[in-house]
């Protein structure tokens, strides 16, 4: 906890003194991540939103996607599933513009699947799973540590691989 408070302090100080757009955007992004880790959700949301504006102004699509993933997580934590899904779909659109690893793409799909499950929308979760190529499915069932079996329209069985 003490290290998180120190991180927040130093990142806030860096944000106050730095006016370079690239450094400021990264400072805001990392400040948002630390706020999120410290359960300061509103501050995390505002830092990430400010960072996204700066990333967007410089066409940094990789960071836009990374920021959108964090903001989507904040929305889903607050039960705002539609907003979360919208941002994750925007990430997938942006992936066409940039080179991004298949592992990052799989994280977006996994987030979408879980958000649909949290929202009891098993059909949409199933639709995503059925549209994924074998490389992404392999990552989801291996690296992510969970195999998802949609056993019916209203039941999900999750088996841990850990």
């Amino acid at each position: 906890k003490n290290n998180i408070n120190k991180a927040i302090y130093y990142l806030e100080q860096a944000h106050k003194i730095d006016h370079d757009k690239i450094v400021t955007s990264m400072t805001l992004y990392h400040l948002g991540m630390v706020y999120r880790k410290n359960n300061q959700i509103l501050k995390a949301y505002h830092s990430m939103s400010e960072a996204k504006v700066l990333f967007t102004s410089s066409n940094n699509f990789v960071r836009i996607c990374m920021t959108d993933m964090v903001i989507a997580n904040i929305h889903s934590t607050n039960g705002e599933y539609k907003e979360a899904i919208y941002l994750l779909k925007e990430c997938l659109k942006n992936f066409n513009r940039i080179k991004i690893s298949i592992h990052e793409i799989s994280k977006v799909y996994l987030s979408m699947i879980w958000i649909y499950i949290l929202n009891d929308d098993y059909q949409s979760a199933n639709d995503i799973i059925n549209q994924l190529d074998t490389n992404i499915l392999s990552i989801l069932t291996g690296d992510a540590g969970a195999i998802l079996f949609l056993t019916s329209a209203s039941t999900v069985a999750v088996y841990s691989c850990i």
Side-chain angles (χ1 to χ4, degrees):
K1 183 78 173 170
N2 192 31
N3 288 339
I4 290 175
N5 290 335
K6 282 182 183 179
I8 289 171
Y9 172 79
Y10 288 119
L11 286 166
E12 286 175 343
Q13 293 306 308
H15 178 57
K16 288 178 185 176
I17 61 172
D18 198 336
H19 297 289
D20 175 78
K21 183 166 54 170
I22 294 171
V23 174
T24 299
S25 61
M26 291 301 296
T27 302
L28 286 166
Y29 174 83
H30 289 291
L31 186 57
M33 293 294 287
V34 177
Y35 282 144
R36 178 73 177 102
K37 177 125 176 104
N38 202 35
N39 280 331
Q40 293 176 285
I41 304 301
L42 191 56
K43 285 184 174 186
Y45 179 83
H46 288 297
S47 287
M48 287 295 174
S49 296
E50 286 183 55
K52 182 179 175 180
V53 168
L54 295 172
F55 292 139
T56 301
S57 71
S58 59
N59 292 322
N60 188 338
F61 296 108
V62 172
R63 285 291 171 179
I64 292 168
C65 289
M66 293 175 74
T67 304
D68 277 346
M69 288 177 64
V70 176
I71 295 171
N73 177 273
I74 291 169
H75 280 301
S76 67
T77 299
N78 291 330
E80 300 163 346
Y81 302 122
K82 286 183 182 180
E83 293 86 348
I85 291 294
Y86 172 80
L87 288 172
L88 294 171
K89 286 181 178 179
E90 288 297 305
C91 282
L92 293 175
K93 287 181 194 175
N94 281 326
F95 286 158
N96 294 328
R97 300 179 187 188
I98 56 177
K99 289 186 178 184
I100 192 114
S101 76
I102 194 165
H103 290 277
E104 292 302 316
I105 295 169
S106 69
K107 288 178 188 176
V108 173
Y109 281 115
L110 184 62
S111 293
M112 289 176 73
I113 291 165
W114 281 114
I115 289 169
Y116 281 129
I117 291 169
L118 289 171
N119 197 32
D120 296 328
D121 187 352
Y122 303 106
Q123 185 59 52
S124 294
N126 192 36
D127 291 346
I128 289 175
I129 291 170
N130 288 332
Q131 77 175 2
L132 296 177
D133 69 33
T134 55
N135 292 328
I136 293 176
L137 278 173
S138 174
I139 290 169
L140 291 180
T141 59
D143 293 350
I147 299 174
L148 304 174
F149 293 100
L150 296 174
T151 56
S152 72
S154 62
T155 307
V156 177
V158 179
Y159 297 93
S160 175
C161 296
I162 299 173

